[in-house]
Amino acid sequence: MSRPTVDLWLGRYAAEGAAGLFGQRPGGSREQVPARIGARVLALTRMSPPAGTGLSHWSSREMAAYITRTERVAVSYHWVAKLWREHGLKPHRSGTSSYQRGW
């Protein structure tokens, strides 16, 4: 646990006693992305990137930048990569000879 976290909880205890410790929810996911954005990323992943991008396939960084630019919802490339892992998607492998041959 980091020193700032310890200081935060000590401050809560000092201000509110034990109630200050139990009344607080622990930290959760910081990035709340709407479900429609996740569906959009999955749909785009299964298609070739738009011609104007100059890309042969999507990378998590390019997808995050494209979604942020076109949907005006900031997503991180970490979130895109996690979403791809959860759905078993590997866009960098699509269309390659090793992917088609099952290597």
Side-chain angles (χ1 to χ4, degrees):
M1 185 174 297
S2 70
R3 184 65 199 185
T5 300
V6 172
D7 291 341
L8 174 73
W9 286 97
L10 286 174
R12 287 179 181 167
Y13 181 76
E16 302 173 41
L21 301 178
F22 297 110
Q24 299 292 325
R25 290 182 39 171
S29 175
R30 291 187 179 139
E31 190 170 26
Q32 299 296 321
V33 180
R36 69 176 179 81
I37 298 299
R40 178 85 171 123
V41 168
L42 293 174
L44 285 170
T45 302
R46 292 179 172 97
M47 298 185 295
S48 296
T53 62
L55 301 171
S56 61
H57 62 276
W58 289 110
S59 71
S60 58
R61 289 179 190 271
E62 290 294 338
M63 179 64 79
Y66 184 79
I67 290 296
T68 300
R69 187 171 58 251
T70 60
E71 300 293 327
R72 302 203 191 314
V73 175
V75 297
S76 70
Y77 71 93
H78 294 284
W79 180 83
V80 172
K82 180 181 173 193
L83 185 67
W84 286 349
R85 277 192 308 274
E86 289 171 353
H87 288 85
L89 296 173
K90 298 179 181 180
H92 63 283
R93 298 285 309 256
S94 64
T96 65
S97 59
S98 61
Y99 178 76
Q100 292 171 348
R101 292 181 185 153
W103 292 348

